[in-house]
Amino acid sequence: MKHDQLIALDAIVATGTFRGAADRLHKSQSAISHSIRQLEAELELDLFSRDAYRPVLTPAGEVFYREASRVLRQMQGLRTTAAQLRAREEPELTLAVSATLDLDPLLPALAETGRRHPVTHLRLRMEMMGGPIARLMEGQADIALASLEGVPLNDVEAEPVAEVTIRPVASPGLGLPTGSRALAASEMQSHVQVVAAGTGGATHDQSRDLLPGGLKWTVSDLAAKKKVILAGLGWGGLPDHMTEAERRSGALLPLTVEGFPPRRTVIFKMRRRDRAVGVVADELWNRLGQPSPPAADTGPERQRR
């Protein structure tokens, strides 16, 4: 029994076909089939029933697969442990962060990491829609901060760290009806909806809260989106932390649009299970989502004590 055979078995179950496993492992389909045949011959068991179009685990195959999955996880854990034992500080550490996330709570963790590891170049990439998970899975980021939409959870470790609320807003200059009643989608179709382009590419393309049949303008980022909306040229969803001051002053009005309620999204920190975790990346991972230490009290009351 070989480790590669167990990996092939796992890939077949994960993708549902021998062809899918071959594509995932960058091998030929015949090589995958041969590997599984050899494993079945050694075990003297049929792991798959091949009567249907797609391979289905036999009852014995299901039991064996459960144990094989446990072994694969243990093997990955051993590799990670070995990598950590020989690891030194990474020369560069990249975070791919959803542009909807408020960076203020993130800055103390970055500051402390930078202070403790000044040689490591911290790179912060602000991404839209599926961009963070695309950068993580492409190997262009060590840690991603984003929602779980489109995330291959079997391949990624994820823990919640923050929440973001996105609500539709508009400038009073757009001339939308005021009041508490919900605006119908048909009323909004004649007004431009401003949307930000995703950065995930074709593989991780995402789109959310798009008004069907309406006018649209596309901008590159949330800062541009906010400026266009403030100018009264359209409406759209923005994170609450970006519009708090403008909503208080009346420069932006929260909208109640049928089918477009404020959307609350949980943001997760994510890293790939199949990649060794560096020293600096592991420290930053553990800091993300932790409450910031209270600021030192240096005011007059402290000085008098």
Side-chain angles (χ1 to χ4, degrees):
M1 188 186 308
K2 298 178 181 178
H3 183 234
D4 287 349
Q5 292 172 326
L6 299 185
I7 292 177
L9 171 65
D10 182 66
I12 295 167
V13 174
T15 62
T17 64
F18 282 77
R19 168 53 61 190
D23 292 341
R24 178 172 178 170
L25 300 177
H26 306 291
K27 294 184 177 181
S28 67
Q29 184 172 345
S30 61
I32 297 295
S33 298
H34 180 68
S35 179
I36 295 301
R37 288 291 190 191
Q38 282 188 319
L39 179 60
E40 289 177 319
E42 180 181 349
L43 299 174
E44 299 181 356
L45 290 172
D46 286 333
L47 299 177
F48 290 100
S49 171
R50 297 169 175 83
D51 296 335
Y53 172 71
R54 289 178 176 270
V56 178
L57 285 170
T58 63
E62 291 180 358
V63 175
F64 183 83
Y65 172 67
R66 284 198 299 269
E67 292 301 307
S69 298
R70 181 177 59 82
V71 170
L72 287 172
R73 288 193 299 271
Q74 290 175 335
M75 289 290 291
Q76 182 57 50
L78 286 174
R79 285 197 176 93
T80 300
T81 299
Q84 290 173 339
L85 290 172
R86 65 174 181 267
R88 298 179 179 177
E89 293 187 4
E90 305 93 299
E92 182 173 288
L93 176 61
T94 301
L95 278 76
V97 182
S98 170
T100 61
L101 181 64
D102 184 2
L103 283 183
D104 286 348
L106 177 64
L107 297 180
L110 291 176
E112 180 63 13
T113 302
R115 184 189 69 80
R116 287 176 50 84
H117 303 281
V119 175
T120 298
H121 177 193
L122 293 178
R123 186 182 298 275
L124 189 65
R125 297 185 57 149
M126 304 306 294
E127 301 280 349
M128 292 298 304
M129 298 295 185
I133 191 61
R135 302 295 85 78
L136 182 68
M137 301 313 295
E138 291 166 357
Q140 298 178 22
D142 301 282
I143 297 174
L145 295 173
S147 74
L148 290 183
E149 183 171 349
V151 174
L153 293 177
N154 289 336
D155 302 325
V156 169
E157 181 182 357
E159 295 180 12
V161 294
E163 293 182 1
V164 173
T165 298
I166 298 177
R167 72 181 69 243
V169 293
S171 164
L174 191 61
L176 289 171
T178 58
S180 59
R181 74 175 181 87
L183 301 171
S186 57
E187 293 180 84
M188 302 301 294
Q189 286 177 339
S190 60
H191 297 280
V192 170
Q193 182 181 8
V194 186
V195 298
T199 58
T203 304
H204 296 277
D205 187 28
Q206 297 178 10
S207 59
R208 303 183 190 124
D209 302 334
L210 297 179
L211 184 71
L215 303 174
K216 292 181 181 62
W217 285 10
T218 300
V219 295
S220 62
D221 53 55
L222 292 184
K225 182 176 183 177
K226 180 179 177 180
K227 283 185 176 294
V228 172
I229 293 173
L230 276 170
L233 302 179
W235 67 279
L238 285 170
D240 274 356
H241 69 87
M242 290 187 66
T243 64
E244 184 177 357
E246 289 79 9
R247 284 184 286 115
R248 281 202 307 264
S249 69
L252 287 176
L253 304 176
L255 303 177
T256 303
V257 182
E258 290 182 356
F260 292 84
R263 176 163 49 83
R264 173 180 163 275
T265 300
V266 179
I267 300 296
F268 289 76
K269 59 181 178 182
M270 292 174 275
R271 59 186 178 185
R272 285 172 51 171
R273 298 183 187 275
D274 63 345
R275 296 189 66 182
V277 181
V279 173
V280 184
D282 195 49
E283 283 193 24
L284 179 57
W285 172 271
N286 291 326
R287 288 193 183 99
L288 292 172
Q290 297 299 316
S292 301
D297 184 359
T298 58
E301 184 64 28
R302 172 63 180 259
Q303 294 172 0
R304 286 195 296 268
R305 288 200 290 267

